[in-house]
Amino acid sequence: MSSSALAASEFSNPNLEPLFTGEQIQARIAEMGSEIARDYRESNPLLLGVLKGAFIFLSDLVRAIDLKVGVEFMAISSYGAEMRTSGEVKIVKDLDVPIEGRDILVVEDIVDTGLTLSYLLANLRSRGARSVKLAALLDKWERREREVHIDYLGFKIPDAFVVGYGLDYAERYRNLPYIAVLKDPNA
Ligand code: IMP
Ligand code: MG
């Protein structure tokens, strides 16, 4: 610890407008976990987290699913504007296990335009998975450009930039224990 003046709080930063408390998120995840456990009771699903944003959601969600499950991660690059319009996304870290015949549950932090997920879900289906479903914590539905079916959804949110609980702005705020609207990205 530095001996200089106390640092300003990151969690109660005035540039953040709280949207969902940690308690609200946990309560919703408990419901999602029970529903997932019920739906997959005959199966041994593979939860596939999309890095980095989904790491906190996935870690809470797996603990709410009382079943035998596997956990894997993929990382996808965020391209600039020109790539986004083409819908192309690049897989930066791929799976290192075969998914043929497996029931895959993709776990994502937020669905915004839907470009990332529509690409990823199609890619996974082409690898011979038995089923591919999606659990997303947040749905910024007003901005959708590609249709994406969300099988298990935490919350619908308005068109605003949100951070916390894994979601970042320029790698900041992933550690907030709640979800907030970032009022001024330049502040
Ligand atoms: P999409 O391809 O437009 O659906 O966007 C997917 C990715 O953009 C998400 O997985 C997030 O990483 C990022 N993203 C979209 N909206 C937000 C936001 O409000 N806050 C933080 N990240 C976001
Ligand atoms: Mg993401």
Side-chain angles (χ1 to χ4, degrees), residues 19-46:
L19 190 59
F20 300 111
T21 65
E23 290 75 15
Q24 288 173 313
I25 299 167
Q26 289 309 323
R28 186 68 194 111
I29 289 177
E31 294 172 346
M32 296 172 81
S34 310
E35 200 185 332
I36 291 166
R38 211 184 317 120
D39 293 353
Y40 286 91
R41 64 189 174 278
E42 315 269 284
S43 162
N44 168 19
L46 184 64

Side-chain angles (χ1 to χ4, degrees), residues 32 36 57 61 105-108 133-137 150-152:
M32 296 172 81
I36 291 166
F57 174 44
L61 186 65
L105 181 60
V106 174
V107 179
E108 176 61 306
K133 296 215 274 180
L134 172 64
L137 182 62
I150 305 176
D151 299 279
Y152 306 96

Side-chain angles (χ1 to χ4, degrees), residues 79-90 113-116 118-119 145-146:
Y79 274 122
E82 139 220 348
M83 278 307 218
R84 292 196 64 83
T85 45
S86 76
E88 283 273 322
V89 304
K90 186 168 172 226
T113 63
L115 292 174
T116 308
S118 64
Y119 174 87
E145 291 173 27
R146 297 282 161 86

Side-chain angles (χ1 to χ4, degrees), residues 51-156:
L51 294 171
K52 299 178 203 168
F55 82 109
I56 295 182
F57 174 44
L58 179 101
S59 69
D60 283 340
L61 186 65
V62 281
R63 284 177 287 179
I65 302 173
D66 183 5
L67 275 188
K68 180 174 159 192
V69 301
V71 176
E72 290 289 337
F73 292 96
M74 280 178 81
I76 285 170
S77 77
S78 34
Y79 274 122
E82 139 220 348
M83 278 307 218
R84 292 196 64 83
T85 45
S86 76
E88 283 273 322
V89 304
K90 186 168 172 226
I91 295 173
V92 175
K93 181 212 176 294
D94 206 343
L95 281 161
D96 22 47
V97 294
I99 58 168
E100 225 180 312
R102 295 290 308 266
D103 291 310
I104 307 298
L105 181 60
V106 174
V107 179
E108 176 61 306
D109 52 359
I110 184 167
V111 185
D112 183 20
T113 63
L115 292 174
T116 308
L117 264 306
S118 64
Y119 174 87
L120 181 62
L121 296 172
N123 176 290
L124 294 170
R125 288 190 177 109
S126 76
R127 301 188 200 188
R130 184 163 81 149
S131 69
V132 180
K133 296 215 274 180
L134 172 64
L137 182 62
L138 304 173
D139 179 9
K140 214 193 276 185
W141 56 278
E142 288 168 285
R143 283 176 39 91
R144 199 74 88 253
E145 291 173 27
R146 297 282 161 86
E147 198 193 323
V148 172
H149 179 72
I150 305 176
D151 299 279
Y152 306 96
L153 173 67
F155 306 97
K156 279 189 193 288

